[in-house]
Amino acid sequence: RKEVEQDPGPFNVPEGATVAFNCTYSNSASQSFFWYRQDCRKEPKLLMSVYSSGNEDGRFTAQLNRASQYISLLIRDSKLSDSATYLCVVNSLSNDYKLSFGAGTTVTVRA
Amino acid sequence: GAGVSQSPSNKVTEKGKDVELRCDPISGHTALYWYRQSLGQGLEFLIYFQGNSAPDKSGLPSDRFSAERTGGSVSTLTIQRTQQEDSAVYLCASSPGLAGRRGEQYFGPGTRLTVT
């Protein structure tokens, strides 16, 4: 079983819509969670950390559900520039330096 | 400020040749990471450095792969006797290395390696 699993999508949404997707992780003792975004043929960039109580950064809201071992990302008022692949990232059980990356969820926002 | 830089940006090599990939991390970042990403795939962890030490080499695919870091700064990833399955984008990242911030990794643009 992969450490981090994501629905690859794609999620095709119109501009202005809300889109949400989850990822699940296998190690119940994981402590650190992140969302990264990766544009086509570019390097990943940190979007936001995910905190236990949930957190918001502008139009982006991240939630953590430890009981069910999933993380969610919600994008409100989608912009064309939000089109990207969103990577769910969890720290390794044994090593805080080592991150496990999901394969990504692709979001395409259309005009 | 300057971000993570990698060189070369593209490398085409013949099967069996050795290649060396270079990474310059963000100044002051103590932790440095190497990943590779095959087309349409997720990131595969290869190795990380804490300072000049590599506590975890478990991700290196075979003994043809090695990496070093000197002066707590520049790192090189060497692949000996390249094979076609080594073709991928090799990404380097650095982070402050502080507890609680190790997941904040800053990636370079990658080196696209093609083995013919």
Side-chain angles (χ1 to χ4, degrees):
Chain A
R1 183 185 173 188
K2 292 181 181 178
E3 285 197 55
V4 181
E5 300 215 45
Q6 295 185 249
D7 179 348
F11 287 73
N12 296 310
V13 299
E15 234 180 331
T18 296
V19 60
F21 42 89
N22 297 338
C23 89
T24 58
Y25 59 95
S26 60
N27 289 321
S28 60
S30 293
Q31 295 296 321
S32 301
F33 309 91
F34 309 88
W35 284 103
Y36 278 69
R37 73 170 275 167
Q38 186 171 26
D39 294 310
C40 189
R41 298 177 76 85
K42 297 285 191 180
E43 70 274 19
K45 291 184 179 177
L46 178 65
L47 178 66
M48 60 196 298
S49 301
V50 184
Y51 301 120
S52 297
S53 54
N55 50 298
E56 198 173 292
D57 184 357
R59 297 179 294 104
F60 297 83
T61 301
Q63 296 281 350
L64 169 64
N65 185 317
R66 286 191 185 273
S68 302
Q69 292 179 216
Y70 75 82
I71 306 155
S72 64
L73 182 67
L74 182 146
I75 308 173
R76 286 189 305 278
D77 188 23
S78 299
K79 311 292 184 191
L80 295 176
S81 58
D82 295 333
S83 297
T85 296
Y86 291 84
L87 308 177
C88 177
V89 182
V90 177
N91 77 307
S92 166
L93 176 63
S94 61
N95 187 331
D96 193 35
Y97 283 92
K98 194 172 171 182
L99 300 181
S100 295
F101 284 76
T105 295
T106 298
V107 173
T108 302
V109 182
R110 62 183 189 275
Chain B
V4 178
S5 61
Q6 292 186 244
S7 62
S9 54
N10 280 284
K11 177 71 177 179
V12 180
T13 190
E14 291 180 356
K15 178 181 170 181
K17 302 277 183 158
D18 298 351
V19 295
E20 199 170 271
L21 312 180
R22 176 188 168 108
C23 172
D24 281 272
I26 292 172
S27 178
H29 279 191
T30 58
L32 184 148
Y33 312 80
W34 283 99
Y35 298 88
R36 75 176 175 183
Q37 187 172 33
S38 301
L39 189 64
Q41 302 297 312
L43 270 72
E44 176 187 2
F45 167 82
L46 297 179
I47 188 172
Y48 86 91
F49 289 89
Q50 187 179 340
N52 292 332
S53 301
D56 187 347
K57 301 180 182 179
S58 62
L60 294 176
S62 75
D63 58 9
R64 296 186 296 105
F65 287 72
S66 62
E68 65 174 15
R69 188 180 186 194
T70 55
S73 181
V74 172
S75 176
T76 54
L77 177 69
T78 302
I79 310 173
Q80 295 179 307
R81 304 181 303 281
T82 52
Q83 304 293 313
Q84 287 184 329
E85 61 262 29
D86 299 335
S87 297
V89 176
Y90 289 80
L91 291 158
C92 174
S94 69
S95 79
L98 302 172
R101 294 192 62 190
R102 290 166 189 154
E104 297 175 18
Q105 297 188 6
Y106 298 84
F107 283 81
T111 294
R112 185 174 299 276
L113 176 66
T114 304
V115 182
T116 61

